[in-house]
Amino acid sequence: MTQNQVLLSPYLAASCAFLTHLALCAPFLVLDALGGVCQRVRSWRIAAGSGPPPSLWKWYECFWRVLFKYATAVLPAAAVFQLLRSPSLPELAPSCWRLSVEVVACFLLFDTFFFIWHYCMHRVPWLYRAVHQMHHQHHVPFALAAQDASSAELLSLLLLALGSAWMLGCHPLSEALFHFLNSWLAVEDHCGYNLPWALHRLLPCMGGAPFHQTHHKKQRNNFAPYFTHWDHLFGTYIAPQSHFRKRHDRTVMK
């Protein structure tokens, strides 16, 4: 099998996505394991009575659920999409400028689509029950739970991500980088840690894990996946620190 045949395999994208997700979750599995014995690690966990880190058994159960959904839904759907698209590999890589612009544009477009879809899933009761409720079994999310959702939701998010890159006409390398960074940010959003080096500490326009954990707690706010501008514009933004502080104060008073 030639290199081009491997790169154009209909099963490559979904297989790499699953393996990438596991690899990106591995550091947080280590942090969760260390959380029971290391005070420094526990100090990085998001407050608000989130409790101890998830157990290894919870990680194990989540792993098999995610694997099953990928094997039965995501892999076949990605293969069909790849065959229908019949992609070709360009001879030249994109310039650094084009790569940067396309990746940023993908994130902004995907963030918009996700916000609309996520808002609808929470506002339409049958959509929530049929598509999104499974993901919210995790009131306190952890890294691997980023992909622990119903098959319908995983397929819808796959369509949004692929559609964003397709609508912008991205170079395959830009699309691959977007999907990789998208996986990383999804893992970081669900990790349960407010790490000193987290991206949202460097870029104020991003919400990060505290922003998304607030969504899992409240379920009525913070619908965007990464940026915060849509939630500010539609009045669904709530500051994570103020929410956590109120919960902490009530816990102390009790």
Side-chain angles (χ1 to χ4, degrees):
M1 183 177 290
T2 65
Q3 181 179 357
N4 275 3
Q5 287 176 317
V6 173
L7 293 175
L8 294 176
S9 168
Y11 305 106
L12 180 66
S15 301
C16 287
F18 178 72
L19 294 174
T20 298
H21 180 62
L22 293 182
L24 294 174
C25 288
F28 296 105
L29 174 58
V30 174
L31 285 180
D32 284 349
L34 290 175
V37 296
C38 180
Q39 178 60 38
R40 174 58 64 87
V41 172
R42 288 198 298 272
S43 71
W44 291 335
R45 282 189 60 77
I46 298 172
S50 60
S55 65
L56 294 179
W57 178 251
K58 197 168 186 178
W59 274 80
Y60 176 80
E61 289 182 318
C62 185
F63 167 79
W64 286 110
R65 285 196 301 269
V66 174
L67 177 61
F68 177 78
K69 302 292 175 48
Y70 262 83
T72 59
V74 177
L75 186 64
V80 170
F81 185 86
Q82 188 80 346
L83 291 171
L84 292 175
R85 189 167 62 164
S86 300
S88 58
L89 298 175
E91 294 183 3
L92 298 176
S95 65
C96 291
W97 171 251
R98 179 185 174 186
L99 181 72
S100 302
V101 169
E102 288 182 346
V103 170
V104 171
C106 274
F107 271 111
L108 290 173
L109 187 58
F110 175 79
D111 192 81
T112 302
F113 288 153
F114 189 105
F115 174 84
I116 296 170
W117 176 231
H118 197 189
Y119 184 88
C120 289
M121 286 192 290
H122 276 272
R123 288 295 186 263
V124 181
W126 70 266
L127 264 181
Y128 180 81
R129 291 193 301 268
V131 179
H132 194 49
Q133 188 174 23
M134 182 177 292
H135 183 62
H136 275 282
Q137 66 182 298
H138 302 289
H139 299 292
V140 179
F142 59 101
L144 194 59
Q147 296 290 319
D148 193 9
S150 68
S151 297
E153 182 168 358
L154 289 176
L155 291 176
S156 68
L157 298 183
L158 173 67
L159 182 62
L160 293 183
L162 292 174
S164 298
W166 176 77
M167 289 178 65
L168 294 170
C170 291
H171 187 282
L173 185 60
S174 302
E175 182 177 353
L177 181 59
F178 161 65
H179 290 310
F180 174 80
L181 294 176
N182 191 24
S183 295
W184 165 249
L185 290 177
V187 168
E188 189 181 85
D189 268 6
H190 290 81
C191 71
Y193 291 91
N194 191 7
L195 298 171
W197 54 84
L199 191 59
H200 69 273
R201 290 179 175 269
L202 304 175
L203 299 175
C205 61
M206 303 194 74
F211 173 87
H212 193 69
Q213 186 153 317
T214 300
H215 169 74
H216 274 259
K217 288 284 188 182
K218 304 277 286 184
Q219 297 197 30
R220 297 187 302 274
N221 304 87
N222 298 359
F223 294 106
Y226 306 132
F227 302 105
T228 60
H229 57 278
W230 290 120
D231 284 293
H232 280 293
L233 286 171
F234 284 89
T236 55
Y237 176 82
I238 183 172
Q241 291 181 349
S242 63
H243 168 56
F244 294 154
R245 190 178 299 115
K246 288 176 183 177
R247 288 183 61 91
H248 177 69
D249 291 343
R250 286 199 298 268
T251 303
V252 172
M253 290 175 64
K254 290 179 181 179

